[in-house]
Amino acid sequence: MDITIVIPVYNRKEYIRTTIDRIDVKYPLILVDNGSTDGSFEVCSEIVAERPNTILTIEQKQGAAAARNKGLSLCKTEWVYFFDSDDVFTSLPVEWSSDADMVCLPIQQECSGKTQIRAYFPVDSPHVQILSSMLNTPSVIYKTSFLLSIGGWNESCIMWDDWELGIRSLLRHPKVQWMKLRPFHIVHIHPEGMTGPDLSSRADEIINTLHVAFDDIYTSDYTTKECQKAFAALFYRSYILSGKMLHEGCPECSAKVRAFIYDRFRVNKMSHVMGRLFEWASSKGVRGVWRIALRIV
């Protein structure tokens, strides 16, 4: 397939060469340095000199979304795939349908030495993405024209930009092909990663993305029933997030998420009761609360 891989780079001197060395040289690469200060740009320059079909460019506007959009603007192939500079590339599918707008891949994640398959549900419903975050950066191959038609990456989302893009993409009724045979790449979860060491340290950026997701749903032309499910999923996801911030010991951050909930949602009392139950369970460190929410949405 005619595909380009785009990799944003920000202070990944210790990781970027290892990441790229695992990617087959048959794939054209676009490396986008996002203002690195640790020598990453110089390492990328060396890689470009050694590797064919590789472009290095610079995006001064901070944020992974801006860097990815810069790469997208330079993409000349029918398909585009985004990969992060500190994850482990394995392979891409040999082939997929030319009619698809999105090709979705199950992937693995590694945290504290343990590897597991990330949540993956082969369904096109936005509410599933909202609760599960199944469509993250390396789990989707996009048809370039489709991604451009929906506006690319939202540069106002400093955090969870791939989560928001997954929601917005599914709200546009794309043709999705779900790969099911095996998991692909390994995503590393670590303190130096883009998500940071915890949720509370990036609370304001995450809440901003919650607002963007709310507006995505509100302005979509999805069916009323699916929009109701999407709003319900976002409502419960926000309560779960509030609980996780309480678990991290940041009641101030939790209060900010609560303020978002009360500002944006107009729901009945029983919905808030259920949301507070999810919040309480998450605050106690209960894992997989989102799976329960998914069952009742």
Side-chain angles (χ1 to χ4, degrees), residues 20-257:
I20 292 176
D21 283 348
R22 290 176 176 268
I23 301 175
D24 196 305
V25 294
K26 68 182 180 183
Y27 296 120
L29 298 183
I30 299 176
L31 309 179
V32 186
D33 186 84
N34 200 204
S36 297
T37 58
D38 70 338
S40 292
F41 181 84
E42 288 73 20
V43 173
C44 287
S45 298
E46 294 171 1
I47 292 171
V48 170
E50 302 164 0
R51 184 185 177 104
N53 299 322
T54 303
I55 295 172
L56 174 60
T57 186
I58 296 173
E59 174 53 55
Q60 296 292 353
K61 183 178 179 180
Q62 285 295 297
R68 290 173 183 138
N69 277 339
K70 180 63 172 289
L72 176 62
S73 72
L74 298 174
C75 182
K76 305 300 182 183
T77 53
E78 182 179 10
W79 301 91
V80 61
Y81 181 64
F82 299 89
F83 200 72
D84 288 332
S85 56
D86 54 356
D87 294 331
V88 179
F89 188 98
T90 58
S91 64
L92 291 177
V94 176
E95 60 182 20
W96 55 85
S97 172
S98 60
D99 292 332
D101 296 310
M102 300 165 60
V103 180
C104 298
L105 318 173
I107 63 168
Q108 307 168 81
Q109 72 176 31
E110 186 274 331
C111 184
S112 302
K114 296 181 180 180
T115 302
Q116 63 183 21
I117 299 174
R118 285 185 63 117
Y120 186 72
F121 300 91
V123 294
D124 300 354
S125 299
H127 74 274
V128 178
Q129 162 65 7
I130 291 169
L131 282 166
S132 69
S133 304
M134 61 180 178
L135 302 183
N136 47 74
T137 301
S139 65
V140 186
I141 299 170
Y142 284 97
K143 182 167 282 184
T144 306
S145 58
F146 171 75
L147 186 53
L148 288 170
S149 74
I150 66 171
W153 296 78
N154 190 319
E155 297 180 15
S156 71
C157 297
I158 304 302
M159 293 292 296
W160 290 13
D161 55 334
D162 51 356
W163 176 74
E164 185 275 336
L165 180 59
I167 298 168
R168 180 159 40 92
S169 296
L170 293 179
L171 286 168
R172 298 299 182 94
H173 316 284
K175 295 178 181 178
V176 184
Q177 182 174 356
W178 302 91
M179 296 293 178
K180 305 176 185 178
L181 295 179
R182 61 180 176 82
F184 288 81
H185 322 293
I186 300 175
V187 173
H188 286 299
I189 308 298
H190 56 84
E192 292 79 24
M194 291 178 62
T195 55
D198 53 32
L199 296 167
S200 300
S201 63
R202 308 299 297 273
D204 290 340
E205 292 94 337
I206 292 172
I207 293 168
N208 172 70
T209 303
L210 295 179
H211 280 287
V212 173
F214 186 100
D215 292 337
D216 288 341
I217 301 166
Y218 187 78
T219 58
S220 76
D221 63 351
Y222 228 88
T223 65
T224 301
K225 183 177 181 181
E226 280 298 336
C227 277
Q228 288 174 344
K229 284 188 174 185
F231 277 126
L234 184 60
F235 176 77
Y236 291 132
R237 179 73 191 262
S238 300
Y239 262 119
I240 292 168
L241 177 63
S242 173
K244 288 183 176 181
M245 290 179 176
L246 287 173
H247 183 66
E248 291 176 353
C250 189
E252 297 85 359
C253 299
S254 172
K256 290 181 179 180
V257 179

